[in-house]
Amino acid sequence: MKWLLHNPIGFTPLPVTIITSVVYSGLLIALLVVHLIVPSAPHNATPVKGINISEAWGDLQVLTNGFHPYNSHRNDFVRDWLLRRIETILRENKASNATTSLNDYGMAGHGRRPAIQYSERAVIFNDMTSNVTFESGSLSVYFEGTNIMVYVRGKEDDAGHWWTSQSKPSGPGGVLVNAHYDSVSTGYGATDDGIGVVTILQLIKFFTTPGNQPKKGVVALLNNGEEDFLNGANAFCAHPIARSQFLRTFLNLEGAGAGGRATLFRSTDTEVTRFYEGSKHPFGTVVSGDGFKAGFVRSQTDYVIFNGILGLRGLDVAFMEPRSRYHTDQDDTRRTSIDSLWHMLSAALSTMQGLTSDTSSTFEGGDPAKGKVSNGSGSDAVWFDLFGVVFAVFELHTLFALSVTLLVVGPVTLIVISAILFKVDKLYLFSSSKHHHHAGGDDTVGLQGWRGFFRYPVIFAAASAGVIGLAFLLNRMNPFIVSSSPYSVWSMMLSAWLFIAWFLSRASDFVRPTAIHRAYALLWMFAGGWIVLVLVTVSEERFHIAAGYFMVFYFAALFLATVMAFLELFGLSKKSQYADEFEDNLNGQEGIRSPRSGSISSARLLAPSREEQTQETHAEDNEQEDEPVETTSLLRGRVASTFANYTSRSHIGKPPEAEEVLDEPKKGRVYGYEQPWSWSLPAWTWLLQFLLLAPVAIVLVGQIGLLFISATYQTLSDGSSPFTVYLVMAIISVLLLAPLGPYLHRYTYHVPTFLLCVFAGTLIYNLIAFPFSANNRLKLYFIQKVDLDTGINRASLTGIGGPFLNEVIHTLPSAAAQALKCADSEKYTGLTECSWDGIPPRVVTATHPEVPPLYGYADWLSYNITRTGNEAQIHVMGTNTRNCKIQFNRPVSDMWVEGGGNDGPFKRVGGDRTREIRLWSRTWEKPWDVHVKWELRTGENDGEGLDGKIICLWNDENKRTTIPALEEARRFAPVWVGIVKLSDGLVEGSNIIGKPAALQDSNPEKRLARQHGEVRDAPQHDFFSPVTVASSTVSKLTNVAQSYLESFYPLLPAQLQSLIPFASPIPTPISSSLPPPLLALLSYLPTSLTPAILLATLAPILILLFTMSTWRSYMGRYSPFTAPASRAPPTVSEDDYHYLGPDDIVDPPRPSYIPNSTSSYFPSSRGPTASRADAANPLAPDILILKHRGTTYPLHFPAFTIGESILRVGELRKTAAKKIDPGMDPRRIKLLYKGKVLKDDAVPCREEGLKQNSELMCVVSEIPVTGRADEDSSESASEGEIVGKEANGGVRIDVDGTIIGGPKKARKGHRAGKKKRRDLRDESSGYGGSGTTTEGRNSPMPGTAPGPNQGSPKTQQQQQQQQQARPKSAMDKLNELSSTFHTKFVPQCIQFTSNPPSDAKVRDLEYKKLSESILAQIILKLDEVQTEGDEEARMRRRALVRETQAMLGSLDAVVKR
């Protein structure tokens, strides 16, 4: 404490510890605050004229209310909404008029919107005609653009429609601002790129506001398709505005994270970057731009199109963290903020104001490359922000000049200073002693100037090795902990380095104290920094890499600090003077020195060491001790200690040299046991050195470190190397703390001890903690692939291998019991892809919503191929999609799409030729005609060599039932998992093209047609076709029969051999007399099939069929046309058979029952091969289609229950009742099949003609209508006669299945008569009587629920309860709704229409409340009321509907005023 009071900035432990800790803590906390906290948005919603933040936030919520990738129906909604929103903005700013027209380029867009809308100040381009084909490596892409552009005319722009002219505009050019309005299929796109889109909407509003017209024109581009190969920006290159060379600069707004600050990703040059300098809260560093340039960042933005293809100069501003939410369902408005919106909007506004105001020639001139804009050439830039307030930008060659200057000036300066110090005899560095001549002879005085020279590199290397060792440890033990706990890793590494360096510094200082440790440490740092700066300078010159800018400033600070350390030595006395004082003081002390021998070699080089002094003191003490006796301790009371010398220096006093040489004032200025000559060193210069060195390192290196970790710590799920991340973090930790190295030997133990505790805690946490959390999720990439040829359906997740991926997949019910197939991912290096048999997707709408989708696989896509020589035309069309692709096993040399239009500045095929063609259409289910060329190899015939796959993609997942496998993964995966898309499509359906000739050429006519290049339709992929199964079976039996005949033919008598013409073909007369159908059938049989073989084949088949029909009880498998007599049918209920849909995946699939080889039924788990078996359709359930009131209900029953006459009409009726209403009485159900009423519940459904996928009509009556076999079963009519006909007093059934008419008296009497007969039957047999049944025909299926009348009769109380629970009549419901409407809503509507709120927002809110309440509580409920043929009720409902609609119309009129 006395040191602190004596000199609060002296180079002593307490000031050094406090000052350095405060500086480091303050700067690091400031960096974290700037990095993690987004500046607050203004409280005023309109901080700038023409900008409304609240309006922008509302637009963002509308935009992100669903997934909207290009290949989705919501994408069309978003596009139309944007057009309406832009029209509203222009109309509010009076920048739009009613003049609309089309030019030669445009045509009508979506709906009735024109392609171009003109006005004097703004033009809307609804681009629906820009088609482009371009190559990307071994890939070719055909894309039809749907971009939206708004041109805001500048004050100095050419007048008129300059984009229609072939000449270049004469004005100063324009500025492009771009964002994409599509999202990925698994993300809502709040920051990627919703904020960018709403920012552009606000910019349109700003520049069209009166008084804000820019000097240079603005083109606001909202492109569609950025997420897939930057398609939208490529399509823009084919637009007349892009080709006109009007544009000079651009600002691209993007998102690669899900919030935070919008950073300046990259820029093309210094000149354009200066316009970002005006941003109120600049944020970013050139390191990110060099990361793109060096290829460390694999993803790209539209920046590369605007700069690389069009030659524009501009900026890329984007969000960058947190990466774990990027492209996931957490990229929504809930997890971003209005502050982030304002940060991007304010930066974009200031940048655009600067770009549009510049009318200089900076962006003009030059000799551009072909197809690029003539806008001059800029210089490479260096730029970075300081605490989000100051933005530094300068040219790279300026940085290079500074680097070269420091490399030369730094060493030269130190050499000059060293020479001057040597000249004035004050260079104590590198000086061990000083020769001194005196009267008694020559002597040498020790200076100890080399002490501590090698100390700092050892300390630095040991501490750095410890941190790098921690990187290896984490990479081995818990490599992904950085994904959720980056700052825990930072804390561990920083505390470890500082503690190790402090411990070694204090230990070495205790053993060999030196006053020039700080100077030697800075000198070593200067030398190491000089070597690094050489590498940085080379990269600046040769590779134009500016990311090493921090090292230039770091080295400059090191240079200045080292110079100050050398200049400190000028405050010391001369070495000769010190030697004279040393000898004078030494000779003046009696008894201290013995007479000199006069020899230099005999002179003492040093004063007595600490050990010598201790030994002398001990010897003197020993002389004073008593003589030892028998009881004297052998240790003499002095116990040796390992730490005997580690005592407080305050108790030991000054070193002997200082005691001998220095007087009392000088003694007090020497610290501890350091050299006596150090008493005159300045005590305050350390602080100046530290303040020069530490802030530069902390601010610049810390900013880069935070930026790096934000960009990379959550990319490990993409396959990035964890060790690379940890190694860079270790290096940055070393660079951050290296400025403390020269001062750590003065540190107290308090801070290092605390950091040791921090290190221990963070080390344990980092080694054992789970690496992912709900806020920092592990990304797993989903895709589902369906082979439309075989029906094989595989869902897969790709991600980090090991326990994480397997654990997630085994939590999914559909995959829990399956054996996974895992392999290295083809798309992401370092990741693993595991697949399983997935739940069939429903991306293509089936006829019946709950019919298994695998029945419609053949309708997913269609194609045909026309081959001529080495060219082919491929016709492709997908159902409910606008994205397909063609993959080739052999690359094609050229391709084009019919109607593709102008390809702009692109090549269709790259130098490596094309192995895949991607097709995108702006309209749904549009066919593509693709022409390809390839090279024929030697020996190949015309048309050969074209094989591969045709694939269509689906990724519209806004309806969660569309892709049940994906919804299952989202629902059952742990909270620390985020599911994202693997490729362009979530579901891929594929057909193989170019099958082997053995399969393709089985038909001679098709083989001949192929050889002549004629059109060949795509094969019909009906893998359920019984013809296919029969053909395969007959072929196998033929081969077996032929082998038997060949074996027995030689053993037959000659007479029989003569009767069997073994190898003779079908006689010509016989073949000529056969009917054409039979000849067509025989043409598909093998050509070697002779009559003998045919007879030998048919005979076993006939015998087998006869045996099966006669001795079926001994067969292992029942015939599908017979019913077992000796065995009871299985226990079957509705719950046992239910098709697994998205609502059912909460529970694992229930066991299903299939017939086995022992003619019994057993549960099947439907394991990994179930879907493959389903392809042949032996295990699929029996399905009947029930239609009721316009709704289709699939009814599922166990397999073979219809064909084996197990399913009866009664069970069918119960299932239908449960499907329509679980509480419905089955007796109210009336079933009709082909006009026939199914009355007898005991009759098997097969006897009524029902079969797989039969359609029945269902009518629900208010009274039981179920009959028995003795009723008039001959009542039958066609469906057309029943629907819409009244006859004989019977009921009339509407087209939707509702009983709507008929004389009530006649119907009542008819029903009464039947009721009497039914009651008589129920006493002996039927639903619940005690009578017996014959051959099991009248009894319900075993295990099913009893009929409604089974069991004991109902008591009177139960009958009363049933009467009270009877549904209300239609008139009662209508009266209640009318009362609610007139008492509750009509008064509110009258008040609203007579006195509407003056505030528009309040008026809109009240209008929405009223209209939506009326719609939900009146209109929809009126629609649910079933009049059941009551004409009065029907008229009553119609009148009430008209009344409510009129009231809604009056509300609409008020809002539209």
Side-chain angles (χ1 to χ4, degrees), residues 1156-1172:
N1156 67 358
S1157 58
T1158 59
S1159 188
S1160 63
Y1161 289 83
F1162 67 98
S1164 170
S1165 64
R1166 291 189 179 271
T1169 60
S1171 66
R1172 298 174 184 266

Side-chain angles (χ1 to χ4, degrees), residues 90 322 336 586 718 798 938 1044 1046 1054 1150 1180 1344 1438:
L90 299 183
T336 188
L586 189 64
D718 300 336
T798 300
T938 304
Y1044 276 110
E1046 291 176 350
R1150 303 190 178 190
T1344 58
R1438 181 180 300 175

